[in-house]
Amino acid sequence: MSSFPQKYFSCLMCILLYFTLCQMTDLIHTEKDLVTSLKDYIKAEEDKLEQIKKWAEKLDRLTSTATKDPEGFVGHPVNAFKLMKRLNTEWSELENLVLKDMSDGFISNLTIQRQYFPNDEDQVGAAKALLRLQDTYNLDTDTISKGNLPGVKHKSFLTVEDCFELGKVAYTEADYYHTELWMEQALRQLDDGEVSTIDKVSVLDYLSYAVYQQGDLDKALLLTKKLLELDPEHQRANGNLKYFEYIMAKEKDANKSASDDQSDQKTTLKKKGAAVDYLPERQKYEMLCRGEGIKMTPRRQKKLFCRYHDGNRNPKFILAPAKQEDEWDKPRIIRFHDIISDAEIEIVKDLAKPRLSRATVHDPETGKLTTAQYRVSKSAWLSGYENPVVSRINMRIQDLTGLDVSTAEELQVANYGVGGQYEPHFDFARKDEPDAFKELGTGNRIATWLFYMSDVSAGGATVFPEVGASVWPKKGTAVFWYNLFASGEGDYSTRHAACPVLVGNKWVSNKWLHERGQEFRRPCTLSELE
């Protein structure tokens, strides 16, 4: 079963940010190496200029003396010889020195390292990740631009150029809502006196059109006039001005002639605000990500306990039982504390890092692997036979859940960088996906075991929008829940999501356990919902 699990990799993951945090860490070292190489090049150029400067100073003194009495100077045989030698040999050497290219080493290093550089797609992905974080965590542009994010260790600022670039990315996606926000931020920073290669005309050009596209004709007209004050000959702005004035005059006439049917007569423009979302529970999902979710009643909270769990008298856990904590009641979500050691985590990460690749999902319509816009992470799969630690982790899951892991999928390791997320999805196959795990031959995904292998500075919670549960990452812990009722019916309350990582780095690994092999470990019940 080594290759099967990778084919049937569940539902919804958005990869807009194609570089994980560990890969970006490598890029930091790459950039440091390039800076060192650049400084070496600068030093070489400075040394070269210093040699030329010394030569010029020496000849300046010599020629100053010689020109005062040229005949007397060359009348000295040594001076005559040295003049011939300088003009025939030494000036040629100086010419070679001036023409010598000191950049070879730096350019060679840059060429080698360039193969590891991000491309345009990666840069756009990083920009979209920022926009996604802005929406999910209700951050205004000024907060992001000034780097005032929770849990940050290294504060960073966005320049006018950065804000302008974010606005352009949104504009290219026809996301005029974010275009307006970021062009306005760029304009504010220019008004505050920030020196930039971007001028106000360029910003106003994008901003006025984005505002118009959202239906605010008055503001669009005002911004266009402001642009023309700065550049009266701007061709597009002059055209837009005439068009906007025409539209406004047309609306004014329509309002006069049909005051009772004003809304029908108006020229239709897009409603201002964020784009229509494809995700029905977006608002609830994002509230949970911000920690603003449904609070469990005291009566329900009293039914949640912490306990020691020995895996039904499993010899491995009798003397050192596992620590369990109830995170939620329905569906029942259990957290195991101190269940994976730091040493085991590092081994799993080291095994996974070379294999991390853009996550794919199983398309239920085509049956093929495809990338999706709702999962932002990179993942790798580890088999038990590859390393004793992986095998030991698999058996630990079996001992604590009582479920057979021989029919489970391989251990999946995922790294979520900044903006990394997995939008609301089900782990199990629904009735409209009867063939989702057919090739595996192990039935549906009965349960999910999820290890948290890092703490996250801000964001990154696992949330269950249907019931309002939020589970926050804590290194060394794991959470477990059943995706199916004992009857085999899917538990739709287990629809869950991995919130975007706002600050930090999130490592997780999960094990999807399947129905086959659990017939006597978790017998069926007569009720569909038990």
Side-chain angles (χ1 to χ4, degrees):
M1 82 176 266
S2 59
S3 64
F4 290 156
Q6 299 179 45
K7 287 188 177 181
Y8 297 101
F9 175 72
S10 175
C11 333
L12 321 150
M13 250 192 186
C14 152
I15 297 212
L16 298 174
L17 189 58
Y18 304 128
F19 277 75
T20 62
L21 252 291
C22 64
Q23 288 171 312
M24 283 193 277
T25 300
D26 293 338
L27 290 179
I28 289 291
H29 293 298
T30 296
E31 190 169 43
K32 175 62 177 175
D33 180 58
L34 285 174
V35 170
T36 301
S37 180
L38 179 61
K39 290 170 73 174
D40 290 342
Y41 161 64
I42 293 170
K43 179 68 166 56
E45 288 285 11
E46 288 175 341
D47 290 345
K48 171 181 162 181
L49 286 173
E50 186 63 28
Q51 291 181 60
I52 296 171
K53 183 179 178 182
K54 288 179 179 179
W55 171 266
E57 289 173 348
K58 183 182 74 172
L59 287 184
D60 184 45
R61 291 192 299 268
L62 185 64
T63 54
S64 294
T65 302
T67 53
K68 290 176 182 178
D69 182 13
E71 290 185 6
F73 186 83
V74 295
H76 194 299
V78 173
N79 286 340
F81 165 74
K82 293 187 72 172
L83 177 63
M84 296 299 106
K85 177 174 175 288
R86 280 199 307 275
L87 292 174
N88 183 55
T89 305
E90 295 180 13
W91 274 99
S92 295
E93 292 174 354
L94 178 63
E95 180 184 17
N96 291 334
L97 177 60
V98 171
L99 293 174
K100 185 177 181 181
D101 189 353
M102 311 303 291
S103 66
D104 287 349
F106 170 68
I107 295 300
S108 176
N109 190 23
L110 180 62
T111 302
I112 292 170
Q113 300 290 4
R114 197 184 299 277
Q115 62 182 312
Y116 305 112
F117 282 14
N119 54 29
D120 290 343
E121 190 178 23
D122 298 313
Q123 182 175 328
V124 170
K128 288 182 178 179
L130 265 180
L131 301 182
R132 186 166 56 248
L133 292 173
Q134 178 183 359
D135 291 343
T136 302
Y137 295 105
N138 273 350
L139 301 171
D140 59 68
T141 54
D142 194 59
T143 297
I144 298 174
S145 182
K146 292 179 179 177
N148 294 326
L149 303 178
V152 294
K153 293 181 180 178
H154 309 285
K155 197 170 182 179
S156 186
F157 302 87
L158 291 178
T159 63
V160 170
E161 289 86 352
D162 296 329
C163 296
F164 185 73
E165 177 65 24
L166 287 168
K168 281 176 60 180
V169 168
Y171 181 86
T172 303
E173 296 290 315
D175 177 3
Y176 302 113
Y177 170 71
H178 285 104
T179 303
E180 179 185 359
L181 293 178
W182 283 103
M183 290 303 171
E184 284 186 335
Q185 180 64 32
L187 196 60
R188 277 196 297 272
Q189 291 181 205
L190 285 171
D191 288 338
D192 290 340
E194 183 177 324
V195 178
S196 172
T197 57
I198 304 296
D199 57 32
K200 289 185 180 181
V201 170
S202 300
V203 176
L204 287 167
D205 192 16
Y206 278 96
L207 180 56
S208 59
Y209 187 75
V211 168
Y212 160 72
Q213 282 291 333
Q214 296 179 87
D216 195 341
L217 199 55
D218 290 333
K219 186 176 179 181
L221 185 63
L222 184 67
L223 290 168
T224 302
K225 288 179 178 179
K226 189 175 180 181
L227 189 162
L228 288 170
E229 288 175 6
L230 299 171
D231 184 3
E233 304 302 319
H234 196 284
Q235 187 175 355
R236 184 166 45 249
N238 277 299
N240 287 344
L241 179 65
K242 292 177 182 178
Y243 177 70
F244 294 159
E245 288 175 339
Y246 166 75
I247 292 292
M248 292 185 77
K250 187 177 178 181
E251 285 189 355
K252 188 176 181 180
D253 292 341
N255 290 340
K256 284 181 180 179
S257 61
S259 57
D260 293 335
D261 196 18
Q262 212 172 37
S263 60
D264 291 336
Q265 295 296 325
K266 281 192 175 183
T267 302
T268 303
L269 290 174
K270 294 181 181 178
K271 185 179 179 182
K272 193 168 183 178
V276 176
D277 204 329
Y278 61 88
L279 195 64
E281 67 263 68
R282 169 73 64 187
Q283 186 175 2
K284 188 185 293 184
Y285 156 59
E286 292 183 347
M287 285 180 64
L288 289 170
C289 290
R290 296 191 295 268
E292 302 170 1
I294 302 167
K295 303 300 179 185
M296 191 178 287
T297 63
R299 185 174 181 180
R300 287 175 65 188
Q301 285 181 337
K302 288 180 180 178
K303 297 179 181 179
L304 303 182
F305 296 95
C306 293
R307 68 187 68 80
Y308 286 106
H309 179 62
D310 62 10
N312 294 322
R313 303 294 294 171
N314 188 296
K316 299 175 185 175
F317 294 101
I318 290 176
L319 294 179
K323 291 179 277 188
Q324 270 189 359
E325 177 187 1
D326 293 331
E327 287 280 353
W328 205 258
D329 53 355
K330 291 183 180 180
R332 191 181 182 204
I333 305 168
I334 299 172
R335 188 192 293 264
F336 290 84
H337 290 269
D338 303 320
I339 204 62
I340 184 170
S341 69
D342 289 351
E344 289 173 325
I345 287 172
E346 291 308 310
I347 290 173
V348 169
K349 286 165 62 176
D350 288 343
L351 289 170
K353 282 178 183 178
R355 309 184 200 178
L356 288 173
S357 60
R358 184 177 177 184
T360 53
V361 301
H362 176 256
D363 188 327
E365 294 184 5
T366 65
K368 297 179 180 179
L369 288 176
T370 182
T371 55
Q373 294 230 342
Y374 37 74
R375 189 177 192 179
V376 184
S377 73
K378 289 201 172 183
S379 62
W381 300 81
L382 304 180
S383 299
Y385 62 80
E386 295 181 60
N387 190 284
V389 169
V390 178
S391 177
R392 187 165 67 241
I393 288 172
N394 288 340
M395 289 309 301
R396 188 177 304 152
I397 294 170
Q398 177 169 302
D399 293 337
L400 290 172
T401 63
L403 298 176
D404 187 353
V405 297
S406 65
T407 58
E409 296 175 47
E410 294 172 350
L411 187 71
Q412 182 193 202
V413 183
N415 180 216
Y416 295 79
V418 173
Q421 67 173 7
Y422 193 162
E423 288 183 352
H425 62 282
F426 298 103
D427 280 351
F428 64 91
R430 273 77 66 216
K431 290 182 178 180
D432 59 348
E433 302 172 307
D435 299 330
F437 306 110
K438 185 177 180 180
E439 194 170 337
L440 284 174
T442 54
N444 211 340
R445 288 173 175 162
I446 191 172
T448 297
W449 178 285
L450 177 65
F451 284 111
Y452 293 113
M453 302 198 299
S454 66
D455 293 313
V456 180
S457 300
T462 304
V463 300
F464 295 74
E466 295 293 318
V467 297
S470 297
V471 181
W472 298 90
K474 183 180 179 183
K475 186 178 181 181
T477 69
V479 290
F480 171 79
W481 66 86
Y482 280 103
N483 297 306
L484 308 179
F485 293 110
S487 63
E489 290 294 317
D491 184 352
Y492 284 79
S493 68
T494 62
R495 184 171 171 84
H496 61 286
C499 295
V501 175
L502 178 57
V503 178
N505 188 7
K506 180 182 176 184
W507 281 92
V508 297
S509 59
N510 67 277
K511 194 79 172 172
W512 281 310
L513 299 108
H514 283 250
E515 291 177 290
R516 297 296 175 265
Q518 322 304 344
E519 292 83 357
F520 298 103
R521 293 172 180 262
R522 195 193 187 214
C524 291
T525 60
L526 297 177
S527 171
E528 284 189 5
L529 302 180
E530 289 183 3

